[in-house]
Amino acid sequence: MDKKLFKSTQDELNKIKLNLSAKNFSSIGLLRGISGFNIFLGELYQLEKDPEYIEKLNQEIESTISAIGNNSQVEFGSSSGLAGWAWSLAYLKSIEMIDFPRGFLKGIDHAAIEEVVEKISTQDYDPLHGSIGLGLYLLKRKKRKVVSKIIHSLNDSKIEDEFGIKWIKNRYKVDEVIDLGLAHGIIGILYFLSKCYKEGVNKRISKTLINGVIKYLKSIIQDFSQAGSFFPNSIRKDFTEVTPSKSRLAWCYGDLTILYTLFQTAIIIQDEELKKSVIARLIITAKRDKESENFVEDSVFCHGTSGIAHLYNKLWKQTQQLEFRNASLYWLQETINANINNSNAEGYKFMIRNNNKEKIFNLSSGLLEGICGVGLVYISFLTKGDSNWDECLLL
């Protein structure tokens, strides 16, 4: 990155720092609450080495512990509740930002195990909010027995045919579709299975399921010249012929997140042929550089420019492929452009649609859909090495 872009990135990070504080958050959650802010403080310290961030971090953790003790109705989930908060603590301990006694998270671990058993009984495999999300926390906590139960449940409930292996979207039972998203679909499940295989948890079944998902994904690749993308967002369960459908460029859904996850999976299972074919398609996605044509309407991590910039930046660091470097810097500049004329962080709003399908732009502080996530992306660009904070986003 040239000096001008480097300085612009620093300037925007400083704006975010001035606009972020604990009072911005009303929950303890990881993706939208105080836990994401704690990760931001930890990564900020790694970048700037200012002891003020350590002090703030410890204050926020102590404050949250007190709040939890005084509230019997705290949500539990991996993305929005206690399990997500515990994940952030485990991560911060792993990078030596904090410390706590060995049994400190024992109660949360036990509750997470019970929650997993309940969720797999209803085949709730949502990667962010269901058994997969909790399973990733428990995998980090070395609770291999219950993680193995999730793998067995996935194996028992899979749909397998000549096209490969997939699962029906369970969390939103509006229609029966194969969800191809990282956030809520089979790409998130593929990520989970790859992590399990890498960690040696039920490797035989994990590998079988991984190969089946890869086979399925290969069977639904679209003609890019016709559809504008290699994959759609979802496919009906009973499809016989797929109508070409263009998907967005984003972290949550679309070519970039599907191919990125396939690339990481190929590395883990040591499939060189898959790795080469995925890289070739990722290079093509790097040329998708118009926001309006790629359904990019904001700058937040989930479905905006900062998430796209981050994924290409990770690919650049892994492969040293110039196309990924250029794409990462392009989307970084687009993220900066969203706020460059503001003295605060007002430009980093995320887009949602109301009941009338009208676009509404809101300013949020969270990691997934707010300025905390944008700030973490800026830190990653300003840091020479790589960090693992984005494991909470299945990366």
Side-chain angles (χ1 to χ4, degrees):
M1 146 176 11
D2 62 34
K3 290 181 180 179
K4 182 179 178 182
L5 185 54
F6 189 88
K7 185 178 185 306
S8 295
T9 306
Q10 285 183 316
D11 291 343
E12 289 302 314
L13 177 60
N14 288 333
K15 292 177 189 177
I16 289 173
K17 284 159 53 179
L18 291 172
N19 281 267
L20 267 180
S21 69
K23 66 182 181 182
N24 295 77
F25 303 96
S26 58
S27 76
I28 65 170
L30 180 57
L31 300 185
R32 295 183 178 91
I34 193 70
S35 299
F37 177 56
N38 289 343
I39 290 174
F40 176 76
L41 289 174
E43 294 299 317
L44 203 52
Y45 175 78
Q46 298 283 346
L47 176 68
E48 299 181 1
K49 304 301 181 188
D50 186 339
E52 178 188 351
Y53 301 129
I54 296 287
E55 186 178 341
K56 279 186 180 180
L57 179 59
N58 285 311
Q59 287 174 355
E60 299 313 330
I61 292 172
E62 290 174 10
S63 178
T64 303
I65 291 171
S66 177
I68 292 170
N70 294 325
N71 185 357
S72 59
Q73 303 298 317
V74 178
E75 190 176 344
F76 185 78
S78 57
S79 62
S80 57
L82 272 176
W85 178 71
W87 188 96
S88 72
L89 295 188
Y91 171 71
L92 289 166
K93 183 175 182 179
S94 72
I95 61 171
E96 300 181 346
M97 295 300 301
I98 62 170
D99 197 13
F100 49 80
R102 185 175 180 181
F104 182 68
L105 297 177
K106 186 176 181 180
I108 295 176
D109 292 349
H110 181 70
I113 291 169
E114 291 184 341
E115 189 82 0
V116 162
V117 172
E118 181 179 337
K119 287 185 179 297
I120 61 176
S121 71
T122 61
Q123 296 181 18
D124 180 357
Y125 304 125
D126 191 271
L128 285 189
H129 309 299
S131 60
I132 299 296
L134 290 167
L136 288 166
Y137 164 70
L138 291 167
L139 187 61
K140 195 173 188 67
R141 298 285 296 148
K142 310 296 184 185
K143 307 300 180 184
R144 300 164 68 93
K145 187 175 180 180
V146 70
V147 172
S148 183
K149 285 184 179 180
I150 300 173
I151 297 170
H152 278 289
S153 180
L154 285 167
N155 190 49
D156 292 342
S157 61
K158 69 182 182 292
I159 297 173
E160 186 171 15
D161 54 28
E162 69 271 26
F163 299 108
I165 290 174
K166 59 267 187 183
W167 293 267
I168 296 301
K169 188 173 184 177
N170 181 268
R171 188 166 177 254
Y172 307 106
K173 290 186 176 179
V174 178
D175 51 10
E176 292 197 322
V177 298
I178 313 300
D179 187 308
L180 300 178
L182 178 67
H184 306 297
I186 66 169
I187 303 306
I189 295 175
L190 178 62
Y191 170 83
F192 169 74
L193 290 169
S194 299
K195 293 280 285 186
C196 291
Y197 181 82
K198 184 178 180 180
E199 295 296 322
V201 181
N202 223 320
K203 289 188 74 170
R204 182 182 61 81
I205 297 178
S206 294
K207 182 70 177 296
T208 299
L209 295 175
I210 288 168
N211 287 337
V213 174
I214 291 171
K215 182 182 178 182
Y216 174 68
L217 291 172
K218 286 180 177 178
S219 78
I220 59 169
I221 293 174
Q222 305 177 139
D223 184 336
F224 188 91
S225 64
Q226 289 185 16
S229 67
F230 292 110
F231 298 96
N233 289 322
S234 62
I235 294 177
R236 284 182 55 187
K237 172 190 172 184
D238 57 351
F239 86 97
T240 53
E241 185 175 342
V242 180
T243 302
S245 172
K246 186 174 183 177
S247 58
R248 72 193 321 159
L249 199 66
W251 163 83
C252 51
Y253 284 89
D255 285 356
L256 179 55
T257 195
I258 293 172
L259 293 168
Y260 177 87
T261 304
L262 278 171
F263 177 61
Q264 305 308 323
T265 301
I267 292 172
I268 290 169
I269 65 173
Q270 299 181 324
D271 187 332
E272 288 299 318
E273 184 180 340
L274 176 62
K275 193 162 71 170
K276 288 177 183 177
S277 66
V278 167
I279 285 291
R281 290 192 171 94
L282 278 165
I283 288 172
I284 293 173
T285 72
K287 299 171 184 175
R288 293 176 61 178
D289 59 359
K290 291 181 175 61
E291 291 189 26
S292 60
E293 294 179 8
N294 293 297
F295 313 108
V296 182
E297 302 194 66
D298 60 35
S299 56
V300 301
F301 198 98
C302 181
H303 47 260
T305 57
S306 63
I308 300 171
H310 186 69
L311 265 72
Y312 281 124
N313 190 34
K314 288 178 74 70
L315 285 166
W316 156 243
K317 289 180 178 180
Q318 274 188 288
T319 68
Q320 295 296 290
Q321 197 83 33
L322 283 175
E323 290 89 345
F324 301 145
R325 176 182 179 274
N326 294 336
S328 71
L329 296 179
Y330 170 82
W331 290 106
L332 173 64
Q333 185 63 66
E334 289 297 294
T335 306
I336 290 169
N337 290 345
N339 193 64
I340 199 164
N341 294 321
N342 294 307
S343 59
N344 52 25
E346 189 68 22
Y348 299 120
K349 293 180 178 179
F350 75 97
M351 190 278 287
I352 58 172
R353 292 184 184 272
N354 61 18
N355 294 334
N356 297 321
K357 305 297 182 182
E358 298 168 327
K359 296 179 184 179
I360 298 174
F361 290 85
N362 293 325
L363 186 64
S364 171
S365 298
L367 194 160
L368 185 61
E369 297 170 332
I371 59 176
C372 206
V374 178
L376 281 163
V377 170
Y378 286 152
I379 291 171
S380 295
F381 271 94
L382 296 170
T383 304
K384 288 184 179 180
D386 203 5
S387 64
N388 297 318
W389 64 265
D390 52 13
E391 280 187 12
C392 67
L393 295 170
L394 317 183
L395 297 177

